[in-house]
Amino acid sequence: MGRIAGHLSVHMIPCRSNKHVKAITYTRYGPPEVLQVNDVDKPAPGDDEVLIRVRAAEATKSDCELRGFRFSVNWFWLPLRIAVGVTRPRREILGGYFSGEIAAVGKDVTRFAVGDAVFGTAGLRMGAYGEFAALPAAYTIAAKPANMSFAEAAAVPLGGLNALHFMRLAKISPGDRVLINGAGGSIGTHGLQIAKSMGAEVTAVDKAEKAAMLERLGADRFIDYQQEDFARAGRTFDVVFDMVARSSYRACLSVLKPGGRYFSGNPRLSVMLRTALTNRFTDKSASFAFAKETMEELETLREMIEEGRIVSIVDRTLPMSEAPEAHRLVETEKRNGAIVLLIGEPDEAGEESK
Ligand SMILES: NC(=O)c1ccc[n+]([C@@H]2O[C@H](COP(=O)([O-])OP(=O)(O)OC[C@H]3O[C@@H](n4cnc5c(N)ncnc54)[C@H](OP(=O)(O)O)[C@@H]3O)[C@@H](O)[C@H]2O)c1
């Protein structure tokens, strides 16, 4: 990443308007139609922040959950509602995972230079559904993989960071048998590729429409959960990654070998309690650790992508005006890979740019 030596003020690259920019906003919780493209004030970066001209943002399950304020796991409903806005959303621009270019840097920022192509996470600030987002330079932001378009790169951080976190916790050894439940989702598709690159033999569980994609990504076996119960397939595993919010804990544990490791991406309260019992009273281990989404992990992902070990699976790209459709596709799971919003004017979104 380029460094800026001795600058004293915020450096800017030109944009269409000095004051107003476009963003997909929502001012009340509700169905996808609450998302609208509006003019908003252009954010200004603080001394330790960067201004990012966003090119692409993944439309994620979390964005949909926050928009509608409906969650598959409910134990954090009240604290989260207090945090994000009781009667209406406090932050009107969603979007946690993006790619784009550095448009300006605050005077204390040395890690980035204007014009750097980047990808990363917007953390609790969100705002990646807007043409410009001001974020702390210390956030998980890194150079965009040179061999990916902006759209492809935006589809990596959510699934990639969470998958890498779980795969490392699992301490996979070559030859380990790994089962990924919900392998066709954002985390699952990255988890599958990372597990394969660590030498695992992977069984992917999802629905039939995703079989071909998962086999292309390296799955050794595929189980269609609508046709077959993986717990009755007669195979046992060293590691089970469970990315399905309402799956059966008992079924996942039943296919673990002695000494096997179970990881849950989206644990219910009951699963959290049961993991403690599993760890205390059985020869298996269970964990629901949440990913920290670190800079080091993002840099590792970029290296893996540039070495050809991970590819990005984008089902569709849509312009800002079709944000409601993007959310509908994510919510109804009518997708085979990520749904990515191209941010900015269509001719500026830079989908083809590498
Ligand atoms: N722990 C963390 O730090 C963390 C961070 C981010 C997200 N999460 C959570 O982790 C989970 C996975 O995230 P994601 O972004 O990968 O979600 P996702 O993209 O929605 O993927 C879930 C996948 O599971 C499939 N599926 C649904 N029901 C299934 C079943 N009964 N058996 C097998 N597969 C099934 C879905 O396919 P169909 O619905 O099309 O059948 C989809 O392909 C989510 O619950 C998310 O909230 C955890």
Side-chain angles (χ1 to χ4, degrees):
M1 189 67 59
R3 284 177 168 264
I4 294 178
H7 59 278
L8 295 172
S9 60
V10 167
H11 296 246
M12 309 285 286
I13 55 176
C15 63
R16 282 197 318 279
S17 149
N18 279 336
K19 285 198 176 138
H20 290 113
V21 293
K22 298 269 182 237
I24 301 158
T25 64
Y26 76 131
T27 52
R28 64 184 173 90
Y29 301 115
E33 294 69 37
V34 300
L35 298 173
Q36 292 183 338
V37 179
N38 278 313
D39 284 333
V40 298
D41 289 341
K42 185 175 181 179
D47 289 350
D48 59 353
E49 293 183 344
V50 288
L51 183 69
I52 291 162
R53 180 176 179 172
V54 181
R55 297 297 202 151
E58 181 174 359
T60 68
K61 270 272 168 63
S62 301
D63 292 334
C64 297
E65 289 172 342
L66 282 170
R67 186 214 70 232
F69 216 84
R70 293 162 66 97
F71 300 92
S72 48
V73 173
N74 281 322
W75 56 266
F76 51 71
W77 196 97
L78 186 62
L80 191 63
R81 185 80 181 212
I82 291 167
V84 302
V86 175
T87 55
R88 64 193 299 285
R90 202 168 286 138
R91 291 188 187 277
E92 295 181 355
I93 308 175
L94 290 166
Y97 301 90
F98 65 86
S99 66
E101 290 157 306
I102 301 292
V105 296
K107 72 178 178 57
D108 298 336
V109 175
T110 55
R111 219 164 63 77
F112 297 100
V114 171
D116 286 345
V118 293
F119 73 145
T121 74
L124 295 176
R125 287 248 186 130
M126 299 185 292
Y129 283 10
E131 283 184 302
F132 288 85
L135 297 173
Y139 268 27
T140 300
I141 302 168
K144 178 176 82 67
N147 54 345
M148 277 190 174
S149 67
F150 283 110
E152 289 167 335
V156 170
L158 163 65
L161 288 167
N162 285 281
L164 185 61
H165 160 80
F166 283 117
M167 295 301 147
R168 282 176 164 176
L169 282 180
K171 297 192 170 54
I172 292 171
S173 304
D176 273 357
R177 276 197 198 168
V178 174
L179 179 131
I180 305 180
N181 194 29
S186 315
I187 301 178
T189 48
H190 288 89
L192 164 58
Q193 297 179 77
I194 296 168
K196 286 302 297 176
S197 78
M198 291 173 163
E201 180 194 305
V202 181
T203 298
V205 185
D206 213 297
K207 69 179 170 204
E209 290 89 321
K210 301 185 186 179
M213 169 185 74
L214 292 168
E215 279 158 9
R216 260 201 324 279
L217 292 178
D220 298 284
R221 277 178 199 76
F222 175 79
I223 295 176
D224 174 1
Y225 75 84
Q226 291 173 318
Q227 298 294 329
E228 190 181 353
D229 180 354
F230 66 79
R232 294 171 190 270
R235 291 183 71 82
T236 54
F237 299 89
D238 300 285
V239 176
V240 170
F241 286 104
D242 184 14
M243 297 300 138
V244 177
R246 296 187 183 279
S247 63
S248 160
Y249 182 76
R250 183 195 292 262
C252 290
L253 267 281
S254 74
V255 297
L256 274 184
K257 294 179 185 175
R261 291 92 77 197
Y262 166 82
F263 298 87
S264 169
N266 208 344
R268 303 181 296 279
L269 200 53
S270 63
V271 169
M272 292 179 168
L273 298 173
R274 290 170 80 180
T275 58
L277 298 176
T278 300
N279 293 333
R280 181 90 175 81
F281 296 111
T282 76
D283 60 358
K284 299 171 181 175
S285 70
S287 165
F288 54 84
F290 292 99
K292 291 196 181 73
E293 304 192 338
T294 67
M295 183 81 74
E296 183 276 327
E297 289 167 334
L298 191 61
E299 295 283 6
T300 301
L301 286 171
R302 180 174 55 77
E303 284 164 23
M304 294 177 87
I305 291 164
E306 290 180 348
E307 288 164 5
R309 291 156 70 196
I310 299 179
V311 297
S312 176
I313 309 293
V314 177
D315 176 304
R316 222 168 302 180
T317 58
L318 292 168
M320 295 172 87
S321 58
E322 290 188 43
E325 174 64 2
H327 274 217
R328 270 191 291 274
L329 291 167
V330 173
E331 277 178 334
T332 55
E333 279 302 335
K334 292 206 174 69
R335 57 172 174 157
N336 233 335
I339 304 295
V340 175
L341 287 162
L342 300 179
I343 307 296
E345 295 296 323
D347 61 328
E348 293 178 352
E351 191 199 349
E352 299 76 21
S353 317
K354 295 278 182 187

